[in-house]
């Protein structure tokens, strides 16, 4: 794992930290590789249930490292995209914990996550046009799926920023915290960890995939994905725990 990305785990939560505070966590090839490796670990380790992506030093990510760009470096991974996740996020839930700025590629990293917790002082934007570039790592394609198209158009064409209050109002982020975003993200993650891992994974899968399903096929396709959940050991354990008024002992199968 690159020193530009740090990981730690506790209580089923994998915290992945972009560790380039001197450069406002601008994304490099090495950092992208580190994030991709961390996502592989999240999905392959049954003891890990939720991931959190954050940045060191009070900034989430300021985007692509422009010095690296001028050297011809691409902070992308083949088949995974910018930062190692925008084209291929993990199967398990991933929460962005945003302090400071989530700009350009940093915003694109954020919107590739499933949930977002941000500090009240955070700022968001895709200012690529101010540098003669396009927010090509999902900004101009994915942002209109998450906020109204006209607002996404304004952000893309002006390059202006919005604050956490406006981002929350638009539904771009889930929670705003006056204290540390990471602490808030861990609280949200813990509420996910408490639930059945199979049900969580498939719920995410259906939400992500069903937007592209033909309307007449939605229930059929959903049934194909959720049927194994309803006959799983976890489903029986969940019902038994409810009846016995105790916490469930999930096995993930």
């Amino acid at each position: 794992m690159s020193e530009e990305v740090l990981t730690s785990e506790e209580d089923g939560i994998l915290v992945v930290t972009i560790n380039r505070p001197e450069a406002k966590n601008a994304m490099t090839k090495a950092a992208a590789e580190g994030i991709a490796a961390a996502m592989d670990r999240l999905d392959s380790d049954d003891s890990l249930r939720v991931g959190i992506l954050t940045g060191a030093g009070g900034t989430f990510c300021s985007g692509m490292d422009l010095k690296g760009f001028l050297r011809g470096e691409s902070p992308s991974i083949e088949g995974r995209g910018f930062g190692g996740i925008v084209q291929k996020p993990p199967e398990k839930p991933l929460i962005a914990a945003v302090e400071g700025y989530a700009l350009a590629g940093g915003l694109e990293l954020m919107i590739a996550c499933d949930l977002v917790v941000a500090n009240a002082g955070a700022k968001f934007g895709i200012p690529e046009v101010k540098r003669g570039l396009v927010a090509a790592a999902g900004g101009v394609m994915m942002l209109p799926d998450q906020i109204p198209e006209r607002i996404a158009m304004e952000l893309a064409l002006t390059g202006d920023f919005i604050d956490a209050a406006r981002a929350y109002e638009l539904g771009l982020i889930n929670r705003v915290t006056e204290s540390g975003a990471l602490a808030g993200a861990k609280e949200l993650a813990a509420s996910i960890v408490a639930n059945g891992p199979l049900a969580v994974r498939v719920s995410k899968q259906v939400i992500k995939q069903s937007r592209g399903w033909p309307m007449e096929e939605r229930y059929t396709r959903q049934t194909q994905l959720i049927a194994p959940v309803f006959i799983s050991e976890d489903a029986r354990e969940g019902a038994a725990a409810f009846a016995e008024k105790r916490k469930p002992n999930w096995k993930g199968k």
Side-chain angles (χ1 to χ4, degrees):
M1 182 83 58
S2 166
E3 291 184 359
E4 295 189 4
V5 174
L6 305 176
T7 61
S8 62
E9 60 180 88
E10 57 180 273
D11 301 323
I13 302 167
L14 179 67
V15 178
V16 182
T17 304
I18 307 167
N19 187 41
R20 304 191 70 235
E22 75 288 349
K24 301 296 184 185
N25 297 321
M27 186 57 52
T28 63
K29 182 74 168 182
E33 290 171 345
I35 293 172
M39 296 303 102
D40 285 343
R41 178 182 169 194
L42 173 63
D43 276 342
S44 64
D45 188 337
D46 290 341
S47 71
L48 298 173
R49 307 274 290 282
V50 181
I52 296 175
L53 180 64
T54 192
T59 296
F60 181 70
C61 176
S62 59
M64 176 175 61
D65 186 281
L66 293 179
K67 293 180 181 178
F69 171 73
L70 292 174
R71 293 193 302 268
E73 178 185 283
S74 173
S76 297
I77 305 297
E78 182 70 28
R80 294 174 180 260
F82 180 86
I85 63 168
V86 298
Q87 292 181 28
K88 188 178 181 295
E91 294 180 0
K92 294 177 183 176
L94 182 62
I95 303 170
V98 179
E99 301 278 354
Y101 292 101
L103 301 178
L107 183 86
E108 291 165 322
L109 285 179
M110 186 193 86
I111 64 175
C113 298
D114 302 301
L115 303 163
V116 182
V117 177
N119 179 268
K123 303 289 185 183
F124 310 86
I126 44 175
E128 280 87 344
V129 290
K130 293 182 182 291
R131 301 289 178 265
L133 300 172
V134 175
V140 291
M141 289 193 300
M142 305 304 292
L143 195 57
D145 290 339
Q146 300 191 17
I147 62 175
E149 181 180 316
R150 282 191 171 82
I151 304 299
M153 187 74 76
E154 180 180 345
L155 292 176
L157 301 188
T158 66
D160 291 343
F161 302 167
I162 58 173
D163 61 17
R166 178 61 169 155
Y168 179 79
E169 179 184 70
L170 291 168
L172 185 60
I173 62 179
N174 295 83
R175 299 182 182 183
V176 179
T177 176
E178 296 295 335
S179 56
L182 181 56
K186 286 181 177 179
E187 180 181 341
L188 180 56
S191 67
I192 297 172
V193 170
N195 300 323
L198 287 178
V200 166
R201 180 178 59 78
V202 173
S203 292
K204 170 179 172 172
Q205 185 179 8
V206 172
I207 288 173
K208 290 293 187 181
Q209 294 182 6
S210 63
R211 301 310 92 194
W213 294 344
M215 187 64 68
E216 65 276 12
E217 296 179 13
R218 283 189 170 187
Y219 278 98
T220 299
R221 293 195 183 191
Q222 176 183 255
T223 298
Q224 293 171 348
L225 294 175
I226 69 173
V229 177
F230 280 79
I231 60 173
S232 67
E233 290 185 32
D234 276 357
R236 293 191 294 274
E237 169 63 12
F242 177 80
E244 296 166 12
K245 298 181 179 180
R246 59 173 175 80
K247 290 183 178 180
N249 178 25
W250 305 120
K251 295 182 179 179
K253 56 184 182 179

